[in-house]
Every structure is written in structure tokens, then in C-alpha cells.
Amino acid sequence: MRCPYCRHADSRVVDSREADDGQLIRRRRSCPECGKRFTTVEEAVLAVVKRSGVTEPFSRTKIIGGVRKACQGRPVDDDSIALLAQKVEETVRAKGAAEIPSNEVGLAILGPLRDLDEVAYLRFASVYRSFDSLADFEREIETLRAAAIARDGAGAEPAEAAGRTT
């Protein structure tokens, strides 16, 4: 690393620390030529490979925008959407690859979005998975119903079971 003071071509690392939950590395450096110290910040850049083959930097803002469109008119607040985007980024970065297909980013969005709001999930899935017919929607709704029944108890209809008193 070139010294910003004397432009000497080499420097020595004195200390390294992680920042932003491991997304950044801050290094304290010392120049052997002039003796001055300076700090560098290193960030791992994650690239998304689109279907067309174009590569672009990962953007949490794009995830927030897409999820916000799916949640339009739904009782979902901005904090929940931001948290979802953070979870998606953590999931994608945990794969450890420098480049990730856009398809995997979409898959990483679907799970947390289903947990956040089922209607928004259906909207997003219909675009992401290119639903062509009513049968595609019906199949996905049936999957959501089966998951809800499994989650709320075997065989009991969640809405009716909650209202019954015996």
C-alpha cells in the first residue's frame, strides 16, 4: 500500500480490525520511509451476474425497491423491508462467492418475504417465477396453505380454530 504522505511504495500493517459485522476490514499502517501512520479500509465487493451476462455490484437498495413494490398497499413498514434486505444480503454474502447469479438473490428474497407478508410474496413470486396462468397462482397458494396448516397445527384451519370456543 502506497503511503499517502511520502508516496513510498510499501507500508507495514500495524493493526487489523473488522468493522460493520465483518463487511469491512480497517488496517492501521505505518510507512517505513517517513514513519507516519495511516488507516486503510478494505471492503469485499459482491457482484451480481444478471441473466444477460452483465455483472453489476450488489445493491441492497435494489432489493428494498423490489420488495417495496411487492408490499405496496400492504401493512408492511419500511423497517421490516430494510431488515429483510439486510437478511438477504447476509445470506448472499454467507455463500462466500465474489459473484452470485441474480437468480440466487431472488431465491434469497422469497423465503423472508413469505414470512413477512404472504400477499407480497405472491406478487414477487409471480414476477420472479414468471407465472403464466391462474394455475401457477393456485399451485403457489396451495403451497402457502399447506405451510400454514403445518405451522399452526396438523389439520386445524388457522382462522376458524382461533375463533372457536368449546
Side-chain angles (χ1 to χ4, degrees), residues 5 11-17 25-30 36-41:
Y5 301 106
S11 64
R12 184 173 67 86
V13 175
V14 178
D15 184 38
S16 291
R17 295 180 187 211
I25 298 175
R26 300 174 79 80
R27 298 195 195 279
R28 192 73 180 138
R29 297 177 175 267
S30 174
K36 293 197 177 185
R37 289 183 172 207
F38 58 98
T39 301
T40 59
V41 179

Side-chain angles (χ1 to χ4, degrees), residues 97-111:
E99 291 184 342
I100 187 160
S102 59
N103 183 46
E104 288 189 32
V105 176
L107 290 174
I109 292 171
L110 287 174

Side-chain angles (χ1 to χ4, degrees), residues 87-152:
K87 286 179 188 175
V88 169
E89 183 173 0
E90 289 169 359
T91 300
V92 168
R93 286 191 183 275
K95 293 184 185 278
E99 291 184 342
I100 187 160
S102 59
N103 183 46
E104 288 189 32
V105 176
L107 290 174
I109 292 171
L110 287 174
L113 185 55
R114 180 178 40 237
D115 296 339
L116 182 65
D117 187 275
E118 290 176 337
V119 172
Y121 164 78
L122 272 175
R123 290 174 178 170
F124 190 87
S126 70
V127 173
Y128 179 73
R129 292 185 175 157
S130 303
F131 286 4
D132 291 327
S133 66
L134 188 57
D136 293 336
F137 279 96
E138 289 172 339
R139 194 171 25 259
E140 198 62 40
I141 290 170
E142 216 30 65
T143 303
L144 287 172
R145 282 189 179 133
I149 289 170
R151 183 180 57 240
D152 295 334

Side-chain angles (χ1 to χ4, degrees), residues 67-89:
V67 171
R68 186 172 284 138
K69 284 179 189 172
C71 292
Q72 191 171 353
R74 301 295 303 154
V76 178
D77 61 9
D78 287 342
D79 289 341
S80 298
I81 294 172
L83 186 60
L84 181 143
Q86 180 182 344
K87 286 179 188 175
V88 169
E89 183 173 0

